Amino acid sequence: MRPASRGSRRPRSDKQVSRTVSKKGEHQELGIKMSGHPYFQRQIQVSSAQLSRNDIERLFHIVESQLKKSVTIQIDSFQGDADKKDEFSARVREVFLISYRVNKPDGDSYAGNGVPDFSGDSFPEDVQSIYINTRIPFEARANFPPNNFMNIFLDFKRPSLAIDFLTMPSNPTANGSEITIEGDSESWVIETYHKINEFLKNKSSVRYFIHFSGVYDLYLYVFVFPMYLYLLWRIQLYVPNEPLGQSLVALVAIYLYSVLLVGLFGRLSFQYARWLYPLLEYESAAKRNTIQSQKLLIMAIFTGIGVAFLYDVLKNFLL
């Protein structure tokens, strides 16, 4: 997925041009613009966000507002006979709709056109992904694409907790979220881009850094292995070395095995942190208390370890 960039001018693809030409008679009858006009595209890279049911409803209203403006632009593109403009306008308003599909973790889906009903119980309580499109309904009914449209895919799937040694934890977290805004109206594309981007920025979270590339290595070298050395030092104060002092092989084997266990603990704990704080999170009311309890517990554990470590360092080495 390409990062968000400035709108670029490019002609429509050959495939799209050929489809337009093949419908030339129909398009001219309806007063549709032909190809050859400037074309603009912008993409939004969803870095991190926490979205609730109310936030999703707000996003749908943003899409609906921009859809109404794209309807006006589509109607203004009419170039046919004046007595057919009313028919054309009615047809555009009829076929220019929002299409959506909401996928649940259990595999079921909830789909429809327009804005979902968020007031009742019909909208799923737990959401794995949401797909919003303003091109498909128009193109399915009119047999040609609209002048301006958007595709929004939000992937709320949490990273797996399964032990997978084929996936490198140093790699960035994979997420399929993608937002694309396209059209021949530069002002509409830019306005839609800024509205959706501003909405996501207001819901962004600072914890997204754990999903960056290389953060796992930093976590091992800065926290896990220093904590391991600290624990060895603490154990040495209370456990005598005489029982193992006569067997160098046993001592080396214990240390090597403990290093492997610490590395495994670091991997699993980092994997759990990415699961607990996903790149894109849907705040489900049913799971909110459970997730928040786990977050508070993890924060308490890490805070306690950090305070104890700093206290011992200050007491034994600096004071």
Side-chain angles (χ1 to χ4, degrees):
M1 178 173 58
R2 295 182 301 173
S5 59
R6 294 182 59 88
S8 59
R9 302 167 68 93
R10 61 179 177 85
R12 297 181 186 267
S13 65
D14 293 339
K15 182 177 180 181
Q16 188 168 341
V17 170
S18 63
R19 182 171 61 245
T20 302
V21 172
S22 65
K23 299 283 186 178
K24 183 175 179 180
E26 179 184 348
H27 285 192
Q28 287 181 341
E29 181 181 352
L30 292 175
I32 302 299
K33 285 184 178 181
M34 302 304 290
S35 60
H37 295 273
Y39 195 73
F40 305 90
Q41 181 188 78
R42 285 205 172 189
Q43 291 185 333
I44 299 177
Q45 183 179 8
V46 183
S47 57
S48 174
Q50 283 181 285
L51 301 178
S52 64
R53 183 189 183 106
N54 293 335
D55 296 323
I56 299 299
E57 182 178 6
R58 183 185 167 198
L59 176 61
F60 267 96
H61 287 310
I62 293 175
V63 173
E64 183 182 37
S65 174
Q66 294 306 114
L67 177 68
K68 292 179 180 178
K69 295 179 180 180
S70 62
V71 168
T72 301
I73 295 173
Q74 189 82 35
I75 293 175
D76 291 341
S77 70
F78 180 78
Q79 295 178 345
D81 298 335
D83 58 349
K84 293 184 179 181
K85 186 171 183 179
D86 291 341
E87 177 187 353
F88 171 75
S89 301
R91 181 60 175 165
V92 169
R93 290 190 174 92
E94 178 186 353
V95 301
F96 223 152
L97 303 170
I98 300 174
S99 174
Y100 66 86
R101 177 177 293 275
V102 180
N103 295 315
K104 299 165 59 178
D106 59 6
D108 291 340
S109 61
Y110 172 71
N113 293 326
V115 177
D117 180 16
F118 291 92
S119 59
D121 298 331
S122 58
F123 193 83
E125 185 63 39
D126 197 7
V127 174
Q128 181 168 286
S129 65
I130 297 177
Y131 178 65
I132 305 173
N133 182 281
T134 61
R135 171 175 176 163
I136 294 177
F138 187 101
E139 190 169 14
R141 292 167 172 81
N143 295 324
F144 58 88
N147 290 354
N148 302 278
F149 58 91
M150 68 185 87
N151 295 301
I152 300 176
F153 180 71
L154 301 178
D155 183 8
F156 297 104
K157 186 177 181 181
R158 293 177 180 270
S160 175
L161 286 175
I163 300 178
D164 180 12
F165 292 103
L166 298 179
T167 302
M168 297 298 296
S170 298
N171 296 335
T173 304
N175 187 272
S177 299
E178 183 177 12
I179 300 176
T180 305
I181 304 157
E182 302 181 54
D184 58 10
S185 173
E186 183 178 16
S187 60
W188 182 88
V189 170
I190 293 176
E191 180 184 6
T192 304
Y193 166 82
H194 282 298
K195 284 191 174 185
I196 297 179
N197 195 43
E198 188 66 24
F199 164 78
L200 292 173
K201 279 186 176 180
N202 291 334
K203 305 303 298 182
S204 63
S205 172
V206 296
R207 65 176 183 238
Y208 67 90
F209 71 90
I210 66 174
H211 300 279
F212 284 172
S213 175
V215 175
Y216 171 71
D217 303 292
L218 189 65
Y219 170 67
L220 287 181
Y221 301 144
V222 175
F223 183 81
V224 175
F225 286 122
M227 287 296 104
Y228 169 67
L229 296 177
Y230 164 70
L231 290 176
L232 287 181
W233 172 71
R234 293 292 297 176
I235 292 173
Q236 186 180 9
L237 297 178
Y238 301 101
V239 179
N241 291 327
E242 285 77 8
L244 295 176
Q246 299 178 356
S247 177
L248 180 61
V249 175
L251 186 62
V252 172
I254 290 175
Y255 279 123
L256 288 177
Y257 189 68
S258 65
V259 169
L260 294 177
L261 290 179
V262 167
L264 181 61
F265 166 78
R267 181 189 180 104
L268 294 179
S269 60
F270 186 77
Q271 195 170 332
Y272 175 70
R274 282 187 168 181
W275 177 89
L276 191 61
Y277 299 96
L279 192 65
L280 192 63
E281 181 177 8
Y282 181 78
E283 296 179 320
S284 170
K287 296 183 177 180
R288 182 177 299 137
N289 294 334
T290 302
I291 296 296
Q292 288 298 329
S293 299
Q294 293 184 56
K295 291 179 180 179
L296 291 175
L297 178 62
I298 294 300
M299 290 179 61
I301 292 175
F302 276 83
T303 301
I305 294 175
V307 170
F309 172 75
L310 291 177
Y311 174 77
D312 279 341
V313 169
L314 293 174
K315 179 181 177 180
N316 293 280
F317 296 100
L318 299 179
L319 297 181

